[in-house]
Amino acid sequence: MPKFEYAPAPESRSIVSLRESYGLFINGEFGPSVDGRAFKTISPATEEVLAEVTEAGPADVDRAVTAARKAYEHTWSAMPGRERAKYLFRIARIVQERGRELAVLESLDNGKPIRESRDVDIPLVAAHFFYYAGWADKLEYAGYGPAPRPLGVAGQVIPWNFPLLMLAWKIAPALACGNTVVLKPAETTPLTALAFAEICQQADLPPGVVNIVTGAGETGRALVEHPGIDKVAFTGSTEVGKQIARACAPTRKKVTLELGGKAANVVFEDAPVDQAVEGIVNGIFFNQGHVCCAGSRLLVQESVYDEVLASLRRRLATLRLGDPLDKNTDVGAINSAAQLAKIRELSEVGEAEGAQRWSPPCELPVKGFWFPPTIFTGVSQAHRIAREEIFGPVLSVLTFRTPAEAVEKANNTPYGLSAGVWTEKGSLILWMASRLRAGVVWANTFNKFDPTSPFGGYKESGYGREGGRHGLEAYLDV
Ligand code: NDP
């Protein structure tokens, strides 16, 4: 095999001009919090402080909700859909124009490889705004009645794994339907949401239509429990999702929850092995496995187990882990020290429970938060690593003999967000898809996203759909 070294190919970070500190974005302007509290956001790859960010308390959340209410009543809900569409198109165009800057900023704050932020996250952000811009003046044809009404003010809380993309999934349909929003980004990844606030200013979006309140879990709680909001949209852990569902149950708030997953990626003996191995790698090592729909449980048909595993190990040995801003990097940094601790803990549990752990030779940088791509074999369904969301680059491998056994094992989880099927037989794909209890079933591919396609879960993966025509329902009074 020819041996060669990759030359470093770093993306320049000079395109990003970071401010020393960022205020809250309320009523179209950046400003301080009432009590002056702030926190720092760091680069998980180097632990370097990137900026200081304002922490919103309940009084700030209240100001943001008031601004959103005013904008809803006086401006946005009364504006014809075709006019709202113009703003959404404008935002989409600015996201494209500032795409490189946003990609670098996302990789700096989140730790994900620039190849992914540049080629996946940011193009999908623009695509979401373009797509929902198209719906804004056609809502009466969406299948929700002749004159569907918006809900009012949406309180939206998003996680750190796809910061700007989750913002787009939340804000684009909300605005298209005529709602205004208060959004709280995750504590560890607020910077692209704040850049988005600048984009709202650049697009001349009327003040108060979008408000961004930064902070930690308490800020999120103040937002979802605020009596002035009509709709809660949350993406994050199942645990917090349940707390939110409980808090909203006695209210009139409409709630959508997009929570955890433990997806099965099922490889049948007739699947093209090289293609399936690429899909397995993409399924669990894309974005360091910080993906709610990650294919974290590989189910391989026994007859091809040795071949698939040998091929997978060979492929893993070629993955490059390191600087997220290097264009050759496949696996970036783990988003936070807390997440790294969780991945380490569950991996140790996997070993203690008797599964065999394997990682390719892989040098980890000294500074920052890193975890090597890892495979566990000899995993049984009872093991915690087969049941719990690890949310890291860790794959649990199980086997099966018959399609019925594959379905049984794939569905043996409290979650139901996604699944993958690899086979040459179309009939087997359809047979599996109709039996897998998962919101999305990918066939001979994995982690494919498109704004026109609805996404969401069964069981403890949450309820409601985002994306596509179905995603409008969450923001309409239907
Ligand atoms: P959380 O569910 O805590 O975070 C998601 C968002 O909710 C963040 O903005 C968070 O703020 C906010 N939040 C936290 N507590 C509350 C609350 N009581 N009320 C309202 N909002 C709140 O996830 P973590 O970041 O703590 O990650 C923990 C685990 O959750 C991960 O290890 C992973 O397994 C899973 N996870 C799943 C995701 C998915 O998409 N399925 C996404 C993220 C995590 P802040 O970040 O500031 O704490």
Side-chain angles (χ1 to χ4, degrees):
M1 220 161 86
K3 271 203 156 241
F4 60 89
E5 276 302 313
Y6 281 83
E11 178 80 35
S12 165
R13 57 184 275 184
S14 63
I15 192 160
V16 168
S17 45
L18 283 169
R19 299 189 210 164
E20 241 171 64
S21 65
Y22 289 83
L24 306 171
F25 184 68
I26 297 176
N27 207 29
E29 286 173 1
F30 285 95
S33 64
V34 170
D35 61 15
R37 283 157 65 139
F39 59 98
K40 293 186 167 47
T41 185
I42 63 168
S43 151
T46 60
E47 297 173 62
E48 160 205 358
V49 172
L50 296 172
E52 192 172 84
V53 178
T54 304
E55 184 177 331
D60 304 302
V61 169
D62 189 54
R63 284 191 298 130
V65 172
T66 305
R69 172 66 54 196
K70 199 163 142 229
Y72 174 72
E73 281 171 6
H74 300 295
T75 317
W76 199 246
S77 67
M79 191 182 279
R82 63 177 183 280
E83 294 301 318
R84 291 200 305 271
K86 288 182 193 167
Y87 287 103
L88 292 172
F89 273 121
R90 209 177 286 165
I91 288 171
R93 292 288 298 271
I94 300 172
V95 167
Q96 285 186 321
E97 282 162 19
R98 294 179 61 171
R100 207 158 77 83
E101 173 198 348
L102 293 170
V104 172
L105 190 57
E106 198 76 301
S107 285
L108 275 175
D109 206 16
N110 169 282
K112 65 173 70 200
I114 185 74
R115 215 159 36 83
E116 294 177 5
S117 49
R118 183 196 61 193
D119 298 347
V120 182
D121 294 51
I122 306 304
L124 278 173
V125 170
H128 264 82
F129 279 97
F130 278 124
Y131 175 73
Y132 280 109
W135 271 117
D137 64 346
K138 303 174 194 69
L139 295 174
E140 59 270 43
Y141 306 110
Y144 303 112
R149 299 265 317 138
L151 291 166
V153 177
Q156 307 179 318
V157 178
I158 56 170
W160 43 261
N161 52 346
F162 293 92
L164 195 60
L165 184 56
M166 289 302 103
L167 174 150
W169 280 28
K170 299 274 179 290
I171 292 185
L175 297 197
C177 292
N179 305 273
T180 57
V181 309
V182 180
L183 177 132
K184 191 202 88 70
E187 183 184 7
T188 58
T189 53
L191 294 182
T192 45
L194 293 162
F196 182 81
E198 289 171 8
I199 290 174
C200 292
Q201 288 179 324
Q202 227 178 319
D204 273 333
L205 192 71
V209 173
V210 168
N211 305 273
I212 309 282
V213 287
T214 41
E218 278 311 301
T219 308
R221 187 205 299 268
L223 177 57
V224 301
E225 294 183 2
H226 195 287
I229 60 171
D230 306 289
K231 153 84 191 170
V232 173
F234 172 79
T235 297
S237 62
T238 295
E239 190 192 338
V240 173
K242 285 180 181 175
Q243 286 173 26
I244 291 174
R246 273 195 290 273
C248 294
T251 73
R252 288 188 306 123
K253 291 171 193 166
K254 189 164 170 174
V255 181
T256 42
L257 302 173
E258 202 261 275
L259 310 175
K262 192 75 191 176
N265 205 358
V266 185
V267 178
F268 284 96
E269 59 191 0
D270 65 340
V273 170
D274 289 346
Q275 213 175 310
V277 164
E278 285 309 305
I280 297 163
V281 169
N282 176 36
I284 185 64
F285 302 115
F286 170 64
N287 202 30
Q288 296 71 250
H290 300 328
V291 183
C292 48
C293 51
S296 52
R297 284 183 302 148
L298 172 63
L299 302 188
V300 191
Q301 197 153 17
E302 248 179 45
S303 47
V304 289
Y305 175 82
D306 290 339
E307 189 188 354
V308 170
L309 259 288
S311 187
L312 184 59
R313 289 202 169 103
R314 269 198 305 276
R315 179 67 180 92
L316 252 60
T318 68
L319 289 180
R320 298 178 57 79
L321 176 146
D323 181 6
L325 287 185
D326 192 313
K327 289 169 220 163
N328 290 324
T329 293
D330 300 303
V331 181
I334 300 302
N335 181 250
S336 65
Q339 189 58 31
L340 180 58
K342 182 182 163 185
I343 298 168
R344 282 185 176 149
E345 188 209 320
L346 272 166
S347 299
E348 278 157 24
V349 168
E351 270 183 303
E353 286 182 329
Q356 288 86 53
R357 176 176 180 165
W358 181 87
S359 290
C362 177
E363 209 174 299
L364 301 183
V366 183
K367 278 279 222 188
F369 315 128
W370 304 92
F371 198 86
T374 299
I375 299 180
F376 276 98
T377 49
V379 179
S380 92
Q381 295 187 82
H383 287 163
R384 278 180 66 194
I385 52 168
R387 291 185 286 123
E388 294 180 28
E389 187 177 48
I390 301 176
F391 224 61
V394 181
L395 179 67
S396 298
V397 186
L398 297 95
T399 58
F400 68 92
R401 288 184 182 165
T402 63
E405 188 188 346
V407 169
E408 191 76 27
K409 285 187 168 164
N411 287 341
N412 185 12
T413 165
Y415 297 111
L417 197 52
S418 66
V421 180
W422 296 83
T423 168
E424 283 199 334
K425 292 189 191 69
S427 55
L428 184 54
I429 290 171
L430 296 175
W431 190 89
M432 290 290 291
S434 63
R435 285 164 179 78
L436 291 169
R437 298 286 293 158
V440 179
V441 179
W442 284 294
N444 294 327
T445 186
F446 210 93
N447 277 340
K448 276 262 186 270
F449 304 100
D450 189 291
T452 65
S453 175
F455 184 90
Y458 282 88
K459 301 192 277 186
E460 293 196 17
S461 292
Y463 42 77
R465 293 293 177 263
E466 294 184 294
R469 184 185 65 79
H470 304 73
L472 296 166
E473 186 181 348
Y475 292 96
L476 291 172
D477 186 12
V478 288

